[in-house]
């Protein structure tokens, strides 16, 4: 089994999320995948699998996660960045 197929991330909402929030996964600055988050209340937790495209073509690297939200203009913007984290696929 590949590590990505069993890697699970736990997401905890520090604030109320209205459903316009997503997580963007980057390797070396390149966007590998995005995951939309459903509406969440403060303190609520969800578990998601690491998207398989994050590990495509590599065995080791670094991973950055950006929290994305729609701006009032409708464009998506980065509201937080996490990492880098060591990635082993």
């Amino acid at each position: 089994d590949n590590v990505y197929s069993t890697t699970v991330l736990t997401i905890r909402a520090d604030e109320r999320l209205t459903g316009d929030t997503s997580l963007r996964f980057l390797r070396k600055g390149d966007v590998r995948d995005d995951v939309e988050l459903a509406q969440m209340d403060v303190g609520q937790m969800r578990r998601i699998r690491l998207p398989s495209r994050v590990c495509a073509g590599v065995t080791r690297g670094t991973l950055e996660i950006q929290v994305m939200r729609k701006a009032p203009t409708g464009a998506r913007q980065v509201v937080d960045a996490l990492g880098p984290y060591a990635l082993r696929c």
Side-chain angles (χ1 to χ4, degrees):
D1 244 75
N2 292 330
V3 172
Y4 71 79
S5 65
T6 58
T7 300
V8 176
L9 304 173
T10 300
I11 312 301
R12 182 179 54 85
D14 289 338
E15 61 186 62
R16 189 172 189 279
L17 302 179
T18 59
D20 65 346
T21 304
S22 63
L23 299 179
R24 176 178 285 169
F25 297 89
L26 298 98
R27 257 189 14 228
K28 294 184 180 180
D30 294 326
V31 176
R32 303 307 290 179
D33 212 342
D34 287 285
V35 173
E36 296 290 325
L37 296 177
Q39 183 174 332
M40 295 173 69
D41 290 323
V42 174
Q44 186 175 5
M45 296 189 340
R46 295 240 161 94
R47 295 170 60 100
I48 63 169
R49 288 190 185 272
L50 184 66
S52 61
R53 290 193 292 187
V54 171
C55 282
V58 299
T59 54
R60 292 183 187 271
T62 58
L63 175 68
E64 181 181 348
I65 303 171
Q66 295 178 337
V67 180
M68 308 292 293
R69 238 186 237 136
K70 285 185 185 172
T73 61
R76 300 199 63 75
Q77 63 182 11
V78 177
V79 295
D80 200 2
L82 309 167
Y85 302 103
L87 179 66
R88 197 179 104 223
C89 300

